[in-house]
Amino acid sequence: MWWLLACAAEVDEARLARLRDVIVADNQIWLGRDPEQVEEKFDRMAADPYDFMRGTASLYYQDLTQPDTQRQSTEFLRDPRSFGLLVIGDPHPENFGTLPPGDDVLAGPSIEVVDLDAGGYGTWLYDLRRSILGMQVFTWKMQGCGEDCREKLARIQAEAYVAELRDPGFVASDPVWGGIVLRLLQESWTEGRLNLRMEEEVVAGRLVREGIDHGEGTRGLTEEEEEQLQALNVGGRYRILDAVRRYGTGIASFPAIRYTVLADTGSTGPEDDVLLNLRELVDPPLLPRLGFQLFDSPSDRLVQLSQRLWTRPDADPWLDGMDLGSISFKQGSLSGWSHNFDHDDSAKLWEEHLIGQADLEGLAGFLGTALAGCHLRGGSMEGSAPIDILEGEIGGREQAFVEERVRDAQNDYAALANDYSLFLMALERYGPLLGAAAAEDLPR
Amino acid sequence: MSCLAPYTETVAEDCIAARAELAGRFSQQLPDLGISRSFSLPRARLELAGGYSIAQIHVATTAVRSGGEEGYIGIAGEAIVPAFQLIELRVEHRGFLAGVGLVDDPWIVAAERGWLRAVAPSFGEEAGWMNRSDLGLWVGYRRGPLVVRADLSSGEGSFLRERNEEKNLSGSLWLRPIPALAFAVYGRQGFTGLQAVSSHRVGGQVHAFLGEENGVQLGLEVLKAWGVDGEERREPLGGSLWAVGAPWGPLQVFARGDLASEELGEEKATSGSLRVGGGVAFGPARLLGGWEYRWAGEDVAVAAGAGDSTDMNVFYVQLDVDLRWEKP
C-alpha cells in the first residue's frame, strides 16, 4: 500500500470530502447502534479494494447521477423505459452463488444472485456497468492481469451480455465458463451432498459458539434476541432447535443483525434438520431511475426480486422475508450447497497457476450472460417486455455498445483505485470511523 | 401589522396567532413510468406565533414522509410525520432585530413573497441549494423600507445535526423603496458536511407588486452557488422568473420558468422547468390546475447522455387553503 500513501501530497480534498460524507451517511443507521461493527466494516474495506468496492455502491450510484460536466456520456439510454427495469443493483461476482438443486438432485446446484440487497427498479445499463467494474476489481490481486487483460474481460462481458439478449440460453454448468465457475459448482456439489455445512456448524445437536474476535464469530442469544427470533418465525413455520448471533460476514451489510438457526419441521430425527440464515435488511442505495415503483415492504422486495430474477424461482425453499415494525429480515437456507465466488480464493488459485486468463474470461462471459438473463426475466416498471427495451437501445449498434462498456470499465476502475487511496487517507487522517463519532456525540 | 409577519416587516406586539397552510394534489406524470398517478401533499405547514413586549416566538412544522420518498425504513411504516421548520425567538426594539433558534432563512423568506408556495418551493429551495431554516442566530436592523440582517448558523439545515466546526455566515438586505417594488441581496460564506465543504452563495431578487386587489406580482430570483450537496466542484448558476396574478376577480393565473446551469453557455449542462396554471379562489381556499415541464441536458440528467429521454411532464389539480387566526 505504500504507493497509495505516497500520493498523500496530491490529495483531491473535494473528492475526499464527498467520499467521507457519503460513506458516513450510508452507515448512519448502524453508527448509532453498533459503531464497533462499522469500524470493523471500514477496516475490511481498507484492507481490500474489492471489499471497498462492495461497501461503496451508494457512492457509485450517487456519482453517476450527480450533475457533472466531466461525466462520461452514453449513447444507450434514449428510451425512458430503460430507467425502470428490475435490476440487481450490485451485481459484482461475489453476489453470485450456488443454491441447492431442486427435486432433480442430479441436475446439480444452480448459480443465482444470492445477494439482492441493492436490487429494485433502476437502469439496466448501470447494472451492467457495475457488474463489469466488479469483474475488473476481482482481478486486482492477480499479478499479470493488467490493463490489456482487464480490457479483454470487459469486452467479453459486454459481448456476452449482448449475445444472451440475442439468443437466450444461459446454462450455469456449461463448461465454456471455465475453471472458476466449474470449481464453484464442484464445491457446491461435493459439500452439498455430504451436508458438510451442518457438520461444521453443529456439534452434539447444538450450534457452535465460536466467540467474537475482531467482529467475527458466533455467540449465544440474549433474551431480547431470542424474543426477536421467535417473532421472526411467523406462523411457526419451523421449530427452533438452537440459534446463535453471527458476526463478521458480508461487507456492505457487515454491521447488520444476523442469526444462524438450527431448525426442523417437527420430526424427532435429524432428517428434517435445516440451517437457516436470518439477516436484517436495510434500504437499498438509491438507484438512478425515472419515476418510481415500490414494493410492499423490504422483505417483499427481496422475495419478489429473488422469484423474478432467479433461473429457478423456488431455488431456495426457505427463502422468506419478515417485517417486524421498523426492522425487516430476510431468511434463506444455509447449507453445503451454498457457495459464492470469492476474489481471494481465485487470487490464490491464480498465484498457484491453477487458473489462468481463460478462466477469468470464462467468468466474465458467465457474468455478462447471467446478468442479461436476469434483466430479461425481471420485467419493467411500466410493463413492457425488457427485450423490447434492450433491443431498441442496443440493436444494430452492438459494436459501439461494447466499445462504450470498455471505456467505462477503464474509467470506473481508475476512479475506484483513486477513491480507495482516498479512503485509506481518510481513515489515517480522521480515525477509524472517518470522524463520524465526533458528530454523533453532539447533544441532540 | 401581523403577528405572523416575516422578519422583513414589523411584528405586532402582544399578540397570538396561528396559521395553517395545506395543499392536497393529484398528479399525472408523463412519460407514464411506474406509479405515475399519485396524491401528494405539496404544502402542510402549521405555524404558531406569539408576541409580548419586544419578544416574539415563531414555531412552525411541516410534514415529511419518514424514510424518504423511496425508503422503507421509517416510523410506523413510512408514516408522514411532523418536522419542525421553525423554533425561533425574535426580539425587536427600536429597529434593532435579533433571532435565535431554528431560524428562517432570509433568502427563502424573501423569495416566497408573492409566490404561490403551495404550488412549489422557490427556486433555491427546490434546487436543493438553500435550506429553509437552520440552527443559528441573527441580528438585523430595520429603518423604513430597508432591512439588513446578518446570520450565523450551522450550515446543515433543519434536518441534520452539525457536522463540523465551521459556521455559515451570511448577510442579506431587503429594500422596498416604494410599495410596488422590492429588492433582496444575499451573500453567504457557507460550509457543510464532515469536512466543512464550501457552500457559498450570492444572489439577488427583484419583486414587483402591481395593482391592488386584483394585481399582478412578478418575481425574479438569481442565485450563484459554490459547492452544492457536499460537492465542492459544482458551481452552478440559476434563477427563476415568475408571475402570479388575479386580474379577473377570483380567477388566478400563474407562470414560472426556472433555469440552472452547471456551466454557463453549455446547453448540455443546463436544466430547467416551466410551470403554468390557474384556478379559482373562494375565501381562503383555492382550486388550481397546472402543468409542469422539466428537462435536463445530458450532463445534468439522471444519466449522462440520457438527455431528452428524461424530460418529464406533470399535470395536476390541487386544493389548497391558507387559514390565519390572530388575536391582538
Side-chain angles (χ1 to χ4, degrees), chain B residues 212-231:
Chain B
E212 296 283 321
E213 281 287 297
N214 296 324
V216 175
Q217 293 162 55
L218 304 169
L220 171 67
E221 172 184 353
V222 179
L223 193 60
K224 169 72 182 172
W226 289 269
V228 175
D229 196 20
E231 180 54 80

Side-chain angles (χ1 to χ4, degrees), chain B residues 31-110:
Chain B
D32 191 355
L33 293 168
I35 303 169
S36 58
R37 287 177 292 282
S38 58
F39 289 99
S40 58
L41 266 178
R43 188 68 163 162
R45 185 174 185 270
L46 300 173
E47 182 175 356
L48 295 173
Y52 181 72
S53 183
I54 63 166
Q56 306 114 38
I57 54 165
H58 291 255
V59 178
T61 63
T62 55
V64 294
R65 174 72 71 183
S66 62
E69 284 308 312
E70 301 201 28
Y72 297 92
I73 298 174
I75 297 167
E78 302 128 22
I80 293 173
V81 295
F84 282 108
Q85 186 187 69
L86 281 183
I87 311 174
E88 184 175 0
L89 165 65
R90 283 186 217 159
V91 177
E92 179 170 355
H93 185 59
R94 293 175 187 271
F96 290 97
L97 312 164
V100 68
L102 182 59
V103 303
D104 254 338
D105 180 87
W107 173 263
I108 293 177
V109 169

